[in-house]
Every structure is written in C-alpha cells, then in structure tokens.
C-alpha cells in the first residue's frame, strides 16, 4: 500500500490541548503505546512526522527493503485476534507487507483518531511547577501532557555525509531511509551506491536488475548471511498460529527475543569437521541463526576468528573475481559485532557485468560533483543517480534533534554530552515522566524490536496505572540508580567483542559522536526480569512524587 492510500489521522493544529501522555512517533512502539494507554483509560495523542503509521517501515522504502527478523516473529503479540487474522506470505517480510500490517493494526484498533500526522515535534520542555511537559511542533502546536513518551525509533535519524559539493549534483539522489513513495525507475541509469551496510546490501542486487550500471563505493565491508527467502507454507502459518502464545513466551525468554538455537559448545572445543558442519548447516538455513553456531562467537576472539574464516571462504565461493572477493571480506572487525546483514544475492551481484566495486578505504570520497563524484586522489566518476546508504545517527540522534529539556530547563543534549545516560534505557534522571521506548541502555537494537517494544510499552503503561492508583503524579530515576545502570551496561558490553567494531552501536559512524556502546548486551530475558524486579521493589531506583493533580481523564 502506498502512503497516499493510507487513511489519514488528524493534521490540523492543536493548541493548548491537555493529555495524560503525548507519544512521539507512530511506528510499532507509538501505535502499541497508544493502544495500551487507551485501554488503561488514559488520554493520549501521537505526533508523527510522516503522513502515515509505520515508522521505519514508512520511511525505508528502498528497493529490496525487508526485515531481517522472520515475519512470524516480527509481529505484535498483544492481540490473539490480530495474529489469527493476519497472514504473512514470506519468511522475511518485504517493507510493503510490513507497512500494510501497520496500517491494518491502525485500522483494527482505530488508532488514527488520536494521531496527528505530517507534524514534527520540535521541543519537549518539563515545567517543574505543574509537573507537566509542554510539547511543541513545527506546525505551531502546543500540547500539555503529564507524560512525554518518546517512541521515535532507534534508526530514524538518517545521515548523509557532509561531502563537499553535495548539493551540486545535477542527477537524482536518495537516502535509503527517506525513500520516495513513488517507484524510482533506474532503467538505463548509471547508479552510485555509497555504503555497504544492511540497506545497501539489500538494495544493490535489486537495483542491479534494473539499472544500466551500479557502482558500489565501499569504505568497510560487512558480514552478510543469505536469507534463504521462501514463501511460507499454509502448514507453517497454521502451526505458528496454533502455538502462538507459547512461541512468543519462549522468544521473550531468550537473549535476543528470537527463537534461534544457540549451541552450548565453544567453537574451540569441537573438531574442525564438526565446526565446519555446524557453520555450513546454519549457512544453508540462512538468517541470524549463524551467530548461534557456537556459544562464544561474540565473546572470544579466537572463536570468532573461526566464524570469520568461514565467512571469507563463503564470500570467495560466491564471488568469481578473487580480488573482488578479497575486498568484500571483512578483516577489521569480529563477525557479528556490526549488525549482521541478511541478504538475497548480495555477493553474487558482483558477478554481474553491470556491477562494480570501488574500494575507497584508502581513497575516500573527496567531493560530489555536478556529474557524479570525485575521490580524494582525484578519480572522477559520472552518474545519473546517487544512493546514500550511509546509515543513521542511531539511538540518540532522533531524540537529540528535539529540544528536550528537563528540570531547570537543562537540555538533554547537555546531560548526554559524553554519551547517553539512562536508567534501564527507559528514563533519565532530571527528566521526570519522560520515557524512551527502546532507548539507549536497553537491549533494543540487539533484540527483536517488537519483543523489546512490547516489554517497554507494558512496563510504562503499568507504571502509569500504579502511579494513578497511588494518587501519585511523577516518577523520576535517581542519579545513583542511573549511574549504577550505566556502569553495568558498559561493563556488560566490555565482556563481549561488540565494542571492537567501529559500529553505529558505538556511535562510531558519526564524526564527533562520543564512543559509548549504547544498547544493553545482557539479553531481553535478563533485562525484563530486572525491570520487573524494579517494580516489585516499589520502583527501586526511582523517586515517585505527588506534586500536582493528575489530568481530569486519569
Ligand atoms: O547503515 P550502516 P544501514 N563515505 O550504518 C558507509 C538496520 N537495517 O542503513 O562501515 C563512505 O550499517 C559505512 O561505511 P563504514 C540495521 O540494524 C535493518 O545500512 O562506516 N561510506 C557503511 O558501509 C542496520 O545495521 C534492515 O566504513 C560511508 C554504510 O555507509 C541499520 O539499520 C535493513 C560514509 C552505512 O551502513 C543501519 O543500516 C536495513 C562516507 N562518508 C537497515 N559514511 C533490516 O533488514 C558512511 N558510509 C531490518
């Protein structure tokens, strides 16, 4: 379904309206948050920059965009009726199908009547006298809410590098995360793709089918496993529906929120033959299960080297030109420490006559020119279109693009100058009643996002109910609890190989961004237990207050 077919919510201006909660973003997190709060009798308003629901799946419409979590696991679990009446068609759903699902959810739960689209939140300021948030938008809205809930996504602030001459290019250019809604026709075109992360890896084989030439500019290669995409069979769908509740519960009890089989053996304790068999069988199965081949792939460099060696061999088997295969084989980071890519025909695309790989690791892009680009050493290339698959200012970017101010008018950007600091990835000391769904310091992007979103939304809704029942108005993390949590998040990351890659998990892709490992590596199961414990202990690590009456509807 294209965006202009999407039924619209409100787009008018809201002046002085009062809500229990304002929710920023109408992706998976914002939609479910709204639904949950309504169910609990709270008034809420969702403000969304796009013209429809879907978040990531609204914006990332590049050819080949798919989810890298299997569709049966990438769906809400809160409604049995919803899961019973929705049928996925493929193992990994394509972006249009996921967007259709989001629209179906919005229709089914009548969400749009409390959503305002095409509106960007510009500021959220906490008023200590009323204990309320004032939220302002680029349309001149001014909303007042007891709670401000950021559901803005972790990969929603796209970045195009600040290349000299960027605007001088006379052809068409696109960022994968802000793709046009109408089909882009690349036939007969010479296309440049800058970047080789998940977005590029998904889009290159598809664009190569259509374009005259595709030239890929690679700074650092990535590890990618085949998706082994296939249609879902009626039996698979039926089995999944019948066992839905157990499957979802089992996923919540895993570290990543997905049902991958994690081998308990070390890669180093088995024979070379057994290791090869294990890797080979997972490669054939396809998908992220590759990283579960052995228990120590993500914690032991020597074990990881065996994974790297296997990947290199697979890349050389797939790519005919050994020099190109060498260039596509990552050597700078352990396998899996950047988000593992899941592809359909990525490496094979480089065997096509119309696809060329340019290694820019030692000769970076110097400038964009009116006709294409020039490397620092002066090599010139001409193109009709440039695709920036250059990623996102992850986890903090979208939050910090909003002027968020807590107690004494302190900007969030100031508090997070040396990197994000949160309690449980949900809350920030000095910012009462502000919640960050899948924020930094929670498992978030290291997990199945739907599992983590549901866990956060349920926690927040329960917290608001608990406050209401106790006649309280505010909840705020203490600095001590936050400091201890940040230390725990950092220490946990240091026990793994993840910090060894220059990844967006660490902010390493953004010049000047503090190098802090942002997601919590402890696992969704351990993390959810910790969140439940905090509640059981009377919201341990938080201060609850009753300084002003709740809004009338609460
Ligand atoms: O972005 P990325 P992405 N000059 O940051 C290169 C999710 N996602 O949009 O590695 C030249 O991974 C950069 O090079 P380097 C998923 O979580 C999910 O692809 O920094 N190149 C890199 O190659 C994913 O991890 C799906 O050296 C420059 C690329 O641009 C996340 O989104 C699909 C450059 C950026 O890769 C981000 O993926 C797609 C420069 N100046 C995305 N600056 C699913 O399947 C950057 N690069 C669900």
């Amino acid at each position: 379904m294209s965006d202009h077919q999407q039924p619209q919510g409100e787009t008018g201006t809201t002046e002085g309206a009062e809500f229990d909660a304002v929710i920023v973003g109408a992706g998976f997190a914002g939609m479910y948050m709204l639904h949950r709060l309504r169910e609990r009798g709270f008034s809420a308003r969702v403000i969304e920059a796009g013209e429809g629901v879907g978040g990531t799946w609204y914006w990332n419409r590049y050819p080949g965009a798919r989810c890298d979590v299997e569709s049966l696991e990438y769906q809400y679990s809160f409604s049995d009726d919803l899961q019973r009446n929705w049928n996925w068609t493929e193992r990994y759903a394509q972006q249009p199908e996921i967007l259709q699902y989001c629209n179906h959810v919005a229709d089914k739960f009548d969400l749009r009547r409390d959503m305002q689209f095409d509106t960007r939140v510009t500021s959220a300021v906490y008023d200590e006298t009323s204990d309320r948030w004032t939220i302002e938008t680029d349309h001149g809205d001014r909303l007042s809410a007891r709670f401000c809930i950021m559901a803005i996504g972790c990969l929603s602030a796209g970045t195009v590098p600040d290349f000299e001459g960027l605007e001088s290019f006379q052809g068409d250019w696109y960022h994968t995360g802000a793709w046009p809604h109408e089909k882009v026709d690349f036939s007969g075109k010479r296309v440049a793709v800058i970047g080789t992360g998940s977005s590029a890896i998904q889009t290159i084989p598809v664009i190569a089918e259509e374009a005259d030439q595709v030239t890929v500019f690679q700074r650092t290669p990535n590890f990618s496993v085949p998706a082994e995409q296939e249609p879902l069979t009626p039996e698979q769908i039926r089995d999944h529906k019948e066992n839905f509740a157990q499957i979802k519960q089992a996923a919540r009890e895993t570290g990543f929120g997905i049902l991958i089989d994690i081998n308990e053996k070390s890669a180093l304790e088995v024979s070379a033959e057994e290791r090869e068999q294990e890797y080979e069988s997972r490669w054939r199965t396809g998908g992220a299960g590759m990283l579960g081949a052995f228990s120590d792939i993500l914690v032991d460099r020597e074990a990881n080297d065996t994974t790297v060696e296997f990947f290199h061999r697979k890349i050389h088997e797939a790519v005919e030109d050994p020099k190109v295969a060498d260039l596509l084989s990552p050597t700078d980071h352990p396998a899996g420490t950047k988000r593992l890519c899941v592809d359909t025909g990525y490496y094979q695309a480089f065997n096509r006559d119309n696809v060329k790989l340019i290694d820019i690791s030692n000769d970076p892009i110097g400038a964009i020119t009116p006709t294409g680009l020039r490397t620092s050493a002066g090599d010139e290339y001409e193109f009709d279109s440039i695709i920036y698959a250059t990623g996102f200012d992850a986890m903090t970017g979208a939050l910090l693009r909003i002027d968020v101010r807590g107690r004494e008018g302190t900007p969030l950007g100031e508090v997070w100058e040396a990197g994000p600091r949160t309690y449980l990835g949900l809350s920030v000391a000095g910012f009462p009643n502000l919640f960050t769904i899948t924020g930094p310091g929670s498992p978030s992007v290291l997990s199945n996002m739907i599992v983590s979103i549901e866990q956060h939304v349920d926690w927040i809704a329960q917290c608001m109910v608990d406050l209401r029942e106790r006649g309280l108005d505010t909840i705020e993390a203490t600095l001590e609890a936050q400091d201890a949590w940040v230390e725990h998040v950092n220490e946990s990351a240091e026990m793994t190989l993840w910090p060894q890659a220059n990844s967006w998990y660490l902010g390493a892709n953004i010049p000047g961004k503090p190098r802090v490992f942002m997601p919590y590596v402890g696992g969704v199961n351990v993390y959810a237990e910790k969140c439940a414990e905090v509640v059981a202990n009377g919201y341990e690590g938080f201060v609850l207050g009753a300084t002003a009456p709740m809004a009338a509807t609460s």
Side-chain angles (χ1 to χ4, degrees), residues 165-324:
L166 187 74
E167 298 289 344
S168 70
F169 183 58
Q170 284 168 2
D172 301 319
W173 60 278
Y174 313 91
H175 184 276
T176 48
W179 200 262
H181 293 187
E182 59 285 356
K183 173 169 164 48
V184 179
D185 186 1
F186 288 112
S187 41
K189 300 261 171 79
R190 297 161 303 165
V191 181
V193 178
I194 301 176
T196 47
S198 294
S199 304
I201 281 175
Q202 287 186 335
T203 208
I204 287 163
V206 182
I207 292 178
E209 297 275 341
E210 188 174 277
D212 198 30
Q213 289 170 27
V214 176
T215 308
V216 179
F217 290 86
Q218 173 182 275
R219 192 163 67 179
T220 323
N222 252 306
F223 293 95
S224 188
V225 271
E228 296 302 337
Q229 176 72 339
E230 57 189 7
L232 290 169
T233 63
E235 294 73 37
Q236 281 172 307
I237 294 173
R238 195 193 53 233
D239 283 358
H240 197 268
K241 283 186 194 301
E242 282 172 4
N243 299 301
F244 189 77
Q246 298 92 301
I247 291 171
K248 274 288 175 183
Q249 186 51 34
R252 284 185 212 111
E253 288 167 11
T254 67
F256 295 112
I258 27 176
L259 290 177
I260 52 171
D261 168 32
I262 301 194
N263 191 345
E264 285 176 7
K265 289 182 187 166
S266 156
L268 305 175
E269 78 180 52
V270 298
S271 67
E273 293 72 36
E274 184 176 341
R275 198 161 52 226
E276 180 68 14
Q277 261 175 21
E278 187 68 35
Y279 282 138
E280 185 63 35
S281 120
R282 287 179 187 252
W283 184 269
R284 288 205 181 150
T285 304
M290 191 70 199
L291 293 176
F294 296 101
S295 61
D296 47 358
I297 289 178
L298 290 167
V299 292
D300 184 308
R301 190 69 198 237
E302 210 185 326
N304 194 285
D305 286 346
T306 68
T307 323
V308 171
E309 192 268 329
F310 179 82
F311 266 98
H312 285 185
R313 208 147 20 88
K314 284 295 176 193
I315 295 168
H316 279 79
E317 276 170 30
V319 179
E320 286 158 12
D321 182 339
K323 286 197 193 112
V324 175

Side-chain angles (χ1 to χ4, degrees), residues 59-280:
W59 296 103
N60 286 265
R61 298 169 186 240
Y62 57 85
R66 279 182 195 279
C67 190
D68 58 3
V69 173
E70 297 193 28
S71 51
L72 292 175
E73 298 200 54
Y74 196 80
Q75 58 181 324
Y76 289 121
S77 69
F78 67 84
S79 162
D80 198 44
D81 191 45
L82 173 63
Q83 73 89 9
R84 284 200 175 281
N85 292 302
W86 181 266
N87 291 320
W88 297 102
T89 59
E90 293 178 291
R91 179 176 178 190
Y92 295 98
Q94 298 197 40
Q95 173 271 336
E97 193 175 27
I98 305 175
L99 188 57
Q100 226 175 340
Y101 174 74
C102 293
N103 278 290
H104 170 71
V105 172
D107 290 340
K108 183 173 173 62
F109 299 100
D110 188 20
L111 298 178
R112 290 189 192 80
R113 72 180 149 88
D114 287 321
M115 291 179 164
Q116 181 173 331
F117 294 112
D118 199 17
T119 306
R120 202 169 271 282
V121 169
T122 51
S123 69
V125 177
Y126 187 69
D127 174 10
E128 288 181 67
T129 51
S130 62
D131 284 323
R132 294 185 72 85
W133 284 88
T134 301
I135 289 101
E136 293 190 336
T137 75
D138 61 353
H139 283 198
D141 307 285
R142 198 178 155 84
L143 299 88
S144 167
R146 175 72 66 204
F147 295 90
C148 178
I149 304 176
M150 296 297 188
I152 46 182
C154 297
L155 293 158
S156 45
T159 52
V160 173
D162 191 17
F163 291 128
E164 182 194 320
L166 187 74
E167 298 289 344
S168 70
F169 183 58
Q170 284 168 2
D172 301 319
W173 60 278
Y174 313 91
H175 184 276
T176 48
W179 200 262
H181 293 187
E182 59 285 356
K183 173 169 164 48
V184 179
D185 186 1
F186 288 112
S187 41
K189 300 261 171 79
R190 297 161 303 165
V191 181
V193 178
I194 301 176
T196 47
S198 294
S199 304
I201 281 175
Q202 287 186 335
T203 208
I204 287 163
V206 182
I207 292 178
E209 297 275 341
E210 188 174 277
D212 198 30
Q213 289 170 27
V214 176
T215 308
V216 179
F217 290 86
Q218 173 182 275
R219 192 163 67 179
T220 323
N222 252 306
F223 293 95
S224 188
V225 271
E228 296 302 337
Q229 176 72 339
E230 57 189 7
L232 290 169
T233 63
E235 294 73 37
Q236 281 172 307
I237 294 173
R238 195 193 53 233
D239 283 358
H240 197 268
K241 283 186 194 301
E242 282 172 4
N243 299 301
F244 189 77
Q246 298 92 301
I247 291 171
K248 274 288 175 183
Q249 186 51 34
R252 284 185 212 111
E253 288 167 11
T254 67
F256 295 112
I258 27 176
L259 290 177
I260 52 171
D261 168 32
I262 301 194
N263 191 345
E264 285 176 7
K265 289 182 187 166
S266 156
L268 305 175
E269 78 180 52
V270 298
S271 67
E273 293 72 36
E274 184 176 341
R275 198 161 52 226
E276 180 68 14
Q277 261 175 21
E278 187 68 35
Y279 282 138
E280 185 63 35

